Amino acid sequence: MDIKITKTTTPKEKPDSSVLGFGKYFTDHMFMMDYSRDKGWYNARIVPFENISLHPASTVLHYGSEIFEGLKAYRRKDGEVQLFRPIENIRRMNTSADRLCLPQIPEEDALTALTTFVATEKDWTPAAEGTSLYLRPFMYGNDETLGVHAVHNATFVIIASPVGSYYKEGINPVKIMIEDQDVRAVRGGTGYAKCGGNYAASNRAGERAEKQGYSQVLWLDGVERKYIEEVGAMNVMFKIDGKIVTPMLSGSILPGITRKSCIEVLKGKGFTVEERLLSIDELEEALKSGKLEEAWGCGTAAVVSPIGELCYKGEKFTINGGKIGEVTQSLYDTLTGIQWGKIADTFGWTMPIK
Ligand code: PLP
Ligand code: COI
């Protein structure tokens, strides 16, 4: 794949690491590539970061034909920059594309786009503890017609944002509200795809939770509102009576790459990991009997995020005295150790950027 690179003539000043937060600053360039049914993917380019112009009838603006991914480039201790399991994100993006009737991108081309773009923006990868360069690949349909159908024209873009921690709490425990009114997804729907519409539909519950002092909601299944699914931007895991329990990939939750990595790390440490249905009744019983030892969320943006309090139908439960648990901490240390190149990557998950 040929990528035409046009460098900016007005590079921006890079923000100080202390003010980063999440997704507020963007680098100097972006990757773009267009698709049409006739031509396939064409015009791969890296251009100065700029606004995107769309026809007012563009499919994405009316019918939500949009998918995205999220992964990070990490500045290693030795100064090099590396990606974490990028091929997993590319595969998931193609699964999302299939669900939303958007075009898939050959894995090799998507990887070339990603690595060439990160190499261009490498200097933007911050070095301070806990920071990284968040990469946001996304794709949208832009047929210029109001007809409803699978898209014939699309654009694929990658932008990058130097980030600190996703939650203002950092690695400190967050408070999560279990949502019992709205639902996020149903089996057969788009829950397993990373599409913008899933997030748009989840904002109302998120707002309600935030107003009451909670960081995000924990979703229950969309049919019986009985089984634990996932948190707004992360998968969820519990330590119950010595075992790790996490909701199985039922079709309505996102198959997280951090989730998958946590499971592999935990199994390697000798833990029993159960991927299964976990009902709210079982969770409540474990909370009340003290069998729920730890709870944490896991995702690219949030990394491994301890849950210190759960609220369900107005009742509040503190977990592990509101402190980070031993397993959560060790998982965080192992995963971030590999990501930031502080410990050896025995799994072969990292990919250096030249
Ligand atoms: N679940 C949802 C709804 C998400 O938005 C994310 C974030 O990407 C995750 C789970 C975690 O996925 P990953 O670990 O691949 O980032
Ligand atoms: C990620 O962890 O990459 C996410 O996409 C979460 C996000 C919706 C902010």
Side-chain angles (χ1 to χ4, degrees):
M1 186 177 55
D2 257 0
I3 303 175
K4 184 167 182 262
I5 302 179
T6 310
K7 288 276 182 81
T8 181
T9 50
T10 52
K12 292 179 244 183
E13 200 173 313
K14 296 181 180 64
D16 188 80
S17 287
S18 61
V19 301
L20 290 178
F22 183 81
K24 294 192 292 184
Y25 301 95
F26 297 93
T27 64
D28 283 324
H29 302 93
M30 59 203 223
F31 175 91
M32 291 187 93
M33 175 163 78
D34 300 309
Y35 171 89
S36 77
R37 282 223 177 156
D38 302 339
K39 294 196 223 172
W41 287 106
Y42 67 98
N43 196 14
R45 60 206 185 271
I46 290 172
V47 292
F49 190 92
E50 62 185 353
N51 289 350
I52 292 173
S53 165
L54 286 174
H55 188 283
S58 241
T59 329
V60 64
L61 297 179
H62 301 267
Y63 307 126
S65 299
E66 192 267 356
I67 56 172
F68 68 96
E69 270 303 325
L71 70 164
K72 285 171 170 172
Y74 303 84
R75 174 83 58 190
R76 294 168 49 99
K77 243 179 140 22
D78 60 12
E80 290 304 307
V81 168
Q82 66 186 17
L83 295 175
F84 183 74
R85 310 189 81 174
I87 204 71
E88 297 285 340
N89 292 89
I90 289 168
R91 288 186 181 142
R92 187 171 63 189
M93 187 173 74
N94 280 334
T95 305
S96 302
D98 176 61
R99 180 65 185 84
L100 274 282
C101 282
L102 281 159
Q104 303 197 18
I105 305 180
E107 283 179 16
E108 222 172 276
D109 290 348
L111 194 60
T112 304
L114 199 58
T115 51
T116 310
F117 176 61
V118 177
T120 309
E121 302 301 70
K122 203 171 167 182
D123 289 351
W124 278 88
T125 314
E129 180 81 22
T131 63
S132 53
L133 185 65
Y134 184 78
L135 304 163
R136 172 55 63 89
F138 61 103
M139 190 195 296
Y140 54 90
N142 50 11
D143 288 347
E144 299 176 357
T145 162
L146 296 177
V148 179
H149 50 67
V151 303
H152 292 214
N153 296 275
T155 300
F156 173 62
V157 189
I158 313 174
I159 54 174
S161 169
V163 298
S165 69
Y166 184 66
Y167 294 116
K168 64 178 181 347
E169 291 89 342
I171 177 73
N172 293 317
V174 291
K175 291 161 63 173
I176 301 286
M177 169 84 83
I178 301 176
E179 171 64 27
D180 61 350
Q181 296 170 51
D182 291 355
V183 296
R184 176 185 175 274
V186 291
R187 255 173 293 149
T190 56
Y192 68 94
K194 206 161 166 64
C195 61
N198 289 346
Y199 297 80
S202 70
N203 281 337
R204 184 169 71 174
E207 276 288 295
R208 274 198 302 258
E210 256 183 53
K211 279 202 184 110
Q212 294 181 62
Y214 291 84
S215 298
Q216 281 195 1
V217 302
L218 174 56
W219 297 103
L220 298 178
D221 77 275
V223 179
E224 297 182 70
R225 296 182 201 202
K226 180 175 169 189
Y227 297 104
I228 304 293
E229 297 235 299
E230 62 182 327
V231 180
M234 32 185 214
N235 294 109
V236 69
M237 297 188 170
F238 303 93
K239 180 165 175 250
I240 304 174
D241 213 9
K243 288 185 203 156
I244 312 302
V245 183
T246 192
M248 62 200 258
L249 300 178
S250 56
S252 53
I253 68 173
L254 194 77
I257 293 151
T258 319
R259 174 189 180 279
K260 185 173 176 177
S261 308
C262 284
I263 292 172
E264 289 174 52
V265 167
L266 286 163
K267 285 187 174 166
K269 287 181 194 281
F271 283 99
T272 303
V273 183
E274 295 178 351
E275 294 177 68
R276 61 170 170 85
L277 289 175
L278 170 64
S279 72
I280 182 68
D281 296 340
E282 181 184 345
L283 189 70
E284 217 178 346
E285 201 279 318
L287 280 162
K288 286 181 174 160
S289 65
K291 283 188 186 152
L292 187 87
E293 294 156 356
E294 296 183 39
W296 64 90
C298 51
T300 299
V303 197
V304 172
S305 183
I307 300 173
E309 182 185 312
L310 281 175
C311 179
Y312 182 54
K313 293 190 191 284
E315 201 173 347
K316 295 176 179 174
F317 301 94
T318 302
I319 300 165
N320 194 41
K323 297 200 189 73
I324 183 165
E326 223 173 276
V327 176
T328 314
Q329 182 72 58
S330 109
L331 204 48
Y332 178 88
D333 291 342
T334 305
L335 220 54
T336 58
I338 295 171
Q339 290 168 335
W340 274 282
K342 293 181 200 166
I343 60 176
D345 171 17
T346 53
F347 296 93
W349 286 340
T350 52
M351 179 181 285
I353 295 293
K354 294 188 189 83

